[in-house]
Amino acid sequence: MLLIVLIFIISSTMGITSSRQIADDADKVGNVFLQQIVLLLEADRDLHQALIAERSLVHEEGASTEQRQVYEENSAQFKERVDSALALGELENLDSHRSEYTALYNRWSEVSSRVITLMENGQVEQAARLSQTDSSQAFDELRNLIDVIQGEQIAQSDFYTAQAMSRSNDAVVRLVMATIVGMIISVLMVLFVPPLITKPLLIIRKNVEG
């Protein structure tokens, strides 16, 4: 009986430990990695829309103040979303990525702002040339970094998802094994323990009656 209780305690402890580990993995996937992936996807869209707005201001005659507002809003949203994604942590090269992102963002923002300033000053050709060269290069470098970070977090999400599934399967196997062992011990106790108790009693009874 004591052995069965011990098996129950051990299996329960292992089950609780596995449940906590699975919960931690699921929390990282749901509240960190997927959140980062979504934020980075939205940031990528914002950056692309900022580029479209910049090109519209340069190449379309009579570009409205609405396009300028679209440019500014998407630029600000891009920075806000990337900052939020990095703030969630769980990046293997967080400091390196943050430093590189800050440098590339500042570079793109500075060059792109110069394009807008040139356009507003009537220097259309200079603005168009800068937009097609330095601004385009800064955009590509910044977007490539976002793609790299996003790819790393997708890989992290896949890893922790697989780990949670593996731990879940292991917990099921351990629980089944503990149940089987417990049943075998119970059957053995039913078969062998009662005779060990009743046989001496029968002998004593027979001697007394004898």
Side-chain angles (χ1 to χ4, degrees):
M1 182 63 70
L2 186 60
L3 186 57
I4 294 177
V5 172
L6 183 61
I7 291 174
F8 174 76
I9 292 173
I10 293 173
S11 61
S12 298
T13 302
M14 293 174 66
I16 292 171
T17 302
S18 296
S19 296
R20 287 177 177 173
Q21 291 174 335
I22 293 169
D24 289 342
D25 290 341
D27 180 68
K28 283 184 179 180
V29 171
N31 295 324
V32 178
F33 302 129
L34 293 183
Q35 291 288 337
Q36 288 174 322
I37 292 167
V38 170
L39 284 168
L40 292 173
L41 281 171
E42 292 176 342
D44 184 78
R45 179 200 62 198
D46 293 333
L47 184 62
H48 185 68
Q49 290 179 342
L51 177 67
I52 292 174
E54 176 194 304
R55 296 286 170 81
S56 296
L57 287 168
V58 171
H59 296 290
E60 293 181 10
E61 293 185 7
S64 65
T65 55
E66 181 180 350
Q67 286 295 331
R68 177 63 186 266
Q69 184 178 356
V70 169
Y71 168 81
E72 292 177 349
E73 286 179 353
N74 282 281
S75 299
Q77 286 176 356
F78 168 79
K79 186 176 188 305
E80 179 182 344
R81 283 173 171 145
V82 176
D83 287 343
S84 297
L86 295 178
L88 290 172
E90 297 296 338
L91 279 162
E92 292 184 357
N93 304 304
L94 178 59
D95 292 338
S96 174
H97 283 324
R98 194 192 301 277
S99 176
E100 186 178 3
Y101 157 71
T102 300
L104 291 177
Y105 174 79
N106 289 340
R107 169 64 177 162
W108 171 79
S109 180
E110 187 270 330
V111 175
S112 185
S113 295
R114 269 199 289 141
V115 171
I116 304 302
T117 300
L118 287 170
M119 185 63 194
E120 290 176 342
N121 292 337
Q123 298 173 284
V124 179
E125 290 186 7
Q126 294 92 326
R129 189 181 309 112
L130 187 62
S131 179
Q132 293 292 338
T133 55
D134 291 2
S135 181
S136 180
Q137 181 181 353
F139 168 87
D140 289 338
E141 291 174 351
L142 183 55
R143 194 175 188 186
N144 287 340
L145 176 62
I146 299 305
D147 289 342
V148 168
I149 297 174
Q150 183 178 318
E152 290 179 358
Q153 297 316 90
I154 290 174
Q156 288 267 64
S157 177
D158 291 342
F159 170 79
Y160 280 96
T161 299
Q163 181 171 270
M165 293 178 64
S166 176
R167 284 174 171 170
S168 177
N169 293 334
D170 290 344
V172 171
V173 171
R174 287 195 294 266
L175 181 60
V176 170
M177 292 298 295
T179 302
I180 292 173
V181 172
M183 291 177 63
I184 291 173
I185 293 173
S186 298
V187 170
L188 292 175
M189 290 180 64
V190 169
L191 293 175
F192 295 104
V193 172
L196 294 176
I197 298 174
T198 58
K199 188 174 181 179
L201 292 176
L202 290 173
I203 293 172
I204 294 172
R205 180 179 177 182
K206 185 176 181 180
N207 290 336
V208 170
E209 291 176 352

